[in-house]
Amino acid sequence: MTESVDDRIARVAFNADGLVAAIVQQWDTREVLMLGWMDAEALRRTLTQGRVTYWSRSRQEYWRKGDTSGHYQEVRGMRLDCDGDAILVSVEQHGPACHTGTRTCFDADDLSPVVEG
């Protein structure tokens, strides 16, 4: 028997705000592209539509990546972490992933460790 969408959503440990972190990764290169937030409905839309939908904390609304920019994310796979409180979303990224226009949101500020000793 195949697990239903509702069963999959029920396995997620949403935080006190009803959200779960969604780490987005290019499916073939494993490049980390961005971090977004999903509530149960955004997760449902992502699981059933094949395009990533997020909950915008700042705008308090759903946004499907690429609807205005054309830089959409086609879902290739999704995995829940061992605690159920983070989702890894493997995508085929079409265009830049970051709202700044860069490929990834993780290329702007280096926080490499400083080892004293």
Side-chain angles (χ1 to χ4, degrees):
M1 186 168 101
T2 304
E3 185 179 40
S4 73
V5 171
D6 287 334
D7 290 338
R8 291 175 188 207
I9 294 170
R11 293 184 8 229
V12 177
F14 294 97
N15 68 17
D17 295 323
L19 301 173
V20 64
I23 303 159
V24 182
Q25 183 180 50
Q26 175 66 30
W27 76 275
D28 53 352
T29 66
R30 307 277 192 240
E31 176 184 26
V32 177
L33 301 173
M34 60 174 285
L35 170 75
W37 294 93
M38 294 182 181
D39 67 0
E41 179 58 27
L43 180 54
R44 176 182 307 286
R45 292 178 189 189
T46 300
L47 288 168
T48 59
Q49 296 175 3
R51 295 234 341 247
V52 185
T53 298
Y54 301 99
W55 173 254
S56 171
R57 296 175 301 163
S58 60
R59 294 188 309 257
Q60 294 290 294
E61 65 184 16
Y62 295 103
W63 59 283
R64 190 168 70 165
K65 185 73 170 167
D67 278 353
T68 56
S69 67
H71 305 149
Y72 66 97
Q73 296 170 336
E74 179 184 355
V75 178
R76 293 294 185 102
M78 296 177 71
R79 310 251 339 152
L80 193 57
D81 81 338
C82 60
D83 297 321
D85 61 359
I87 298 171
L88 179 63
V89 186
S90 299
V91 302
E92 176 70 38
Q93 178 67 45
H94 299 271
C98 189
H99 71 279
T100 64
T102 60
R103 169 84 180 148
T104 173
C105 293
F106 292 98
D107 62 357
D109 196 359
D110 183 8
L111 290 178
S112 295
V114 176
V115 179
E116 297 179 12

